[in-house]
Amino acid sequence: MQHVQPPFAGPPMKSHYSDAPAAEPIARHTLAVIVDNEPGVLARIAGLFSGRGYNIESLTVSETEHEKHLSRITIVTTGTAHVIEQIKAQLSRLVPVHRVDDLTVNGDAIERELVLVKVVGKGEARVEAMRLAQAFGARTVDATLSSFIFELTGTSDETERFISLMTACGLTEVARTGIAAIGRGAESM
């Protein structure tokens, strides 16, 4: 028996989606933003992110130049190269923003995070918590007969590992500052 192709057969239909560019990789970026230290600035920046569906993974803010009333906001976010460029452009257009630097693009930046960890336990768990804290270089900032509060400053990976290991020792509470970052070398913002 012979197979007969229908008269409309030809090359398979092509989808418009197959012409779309391959998905851009999503990368983590650390942005340093210099702004006027005035009421509502942080709300406007957070609104810019939430209004466009961008996520802020870490956010730290502090006044850095008292005489000029300037603050530095360090924002860690993720996105494709196109999304990160959009974020930087939109931040730059906000009135109180003086400068936006992408520390990830500019080269190796020094990033640190401070974490406070409360551990409650007795016996071997208490001893193990002290051993781990010492191994990580954490400081004991409070101690009672049944609990410790440790302070650790390090990279996000280091603080994550510390928190994870302390879970087995009776971790009950964590407070984190978020990432503070500064570019290497003589160049300044």
Side-chain angles (χ1 to χ4, degrees):
M1 180 168 214
Q2 192 176 39
H3 184 282
V4 178
Q5 282 192 328
F8 55 85
M13 288 186 56
K14 189 173 177 184
S15 166
H16 294 288
Y17 296 108
S18 59
D19 288 337
E24 284 187 70
I26 294 176
R28 175 184 173 274
H29 284 256
T30 302
L31 307 176
V33 185
I34 303 297
V35 299
D36 289 335
N37 186 13
E38 61 185 42
V41 173
L42 184 58
R44 280 184 265 171
I45 288 174
L48 182 148
F49 275 76
S50 66
R52 288 160 180 81
Y54 304 145
N55 187 41
I56 296 174
E57 292 186 5
S58 174
L59 177 72
T60 58
V61 184
S62 184
E63 187 174 61
T64 54
E65 294 186 48
H66 300 294
E67 301 80 36
K68 296 180 181 177
H69 300 287
L70 296 177
S71 290
R72 180 182 181 119
I73 301 174
T74 304
I75 303 168
V76 178
T77 189
T78 56
T80 63
H82 178 72
V83 167
I84 297 299
E85 287 305 315
Q86 281 184 325
I87 290 171
K88 292 189 303 190
Q90 291 163 358
L91 283 170
S92 295
R93 282 196 291 269
L94 290 177
V95 172
V97 173
H98 293 273
R99 185 166 176 175
V100 177
D101 275 350
D102 187 342
L103 297 175
T104 306
V105 170
N106 295 348
D108 285 339
I110 304 295
E111 293 186 2
R112 293 295 182 266
E113 182 177 19
L114 181 129
V115 63
L116 297 172
V117 174
K118 184 183 288 186
V119 178
V120 176
K122 295 185 181 207
E124 189 55 36
R126 186 174 169 82
V127 172
E128 185 60 20
M130 286 296 292
R131 278 190 210 129
L132 285 170
Q134 185 177 19
F136 274 84
R139 289 183 344 126
T140 304
V141 293
D142 185 59
T144 69
L145 294 175
S146 61
S147 69
F148 290 110
I149 297 177
F150 299 110
E151 173 189 305
L152 177 69
T153 302
T155 65
S156 292
D157 288 342
E158 290 168 342
T159 58
E160 285 290 340
R161 282 195 315 274
F162 184 66
I163 292 166
S164 177
L165 290 170
M166 283 297 180
T167 302
C169 298
L171 176 82
T172 60
E173 191 174 347
V174 175
R176 299 173 83 159
T177 60
I179 293 171
I182 195 164
R184 290 180 183 266
E187 190 97 9
S188 295
M189 281 192 77

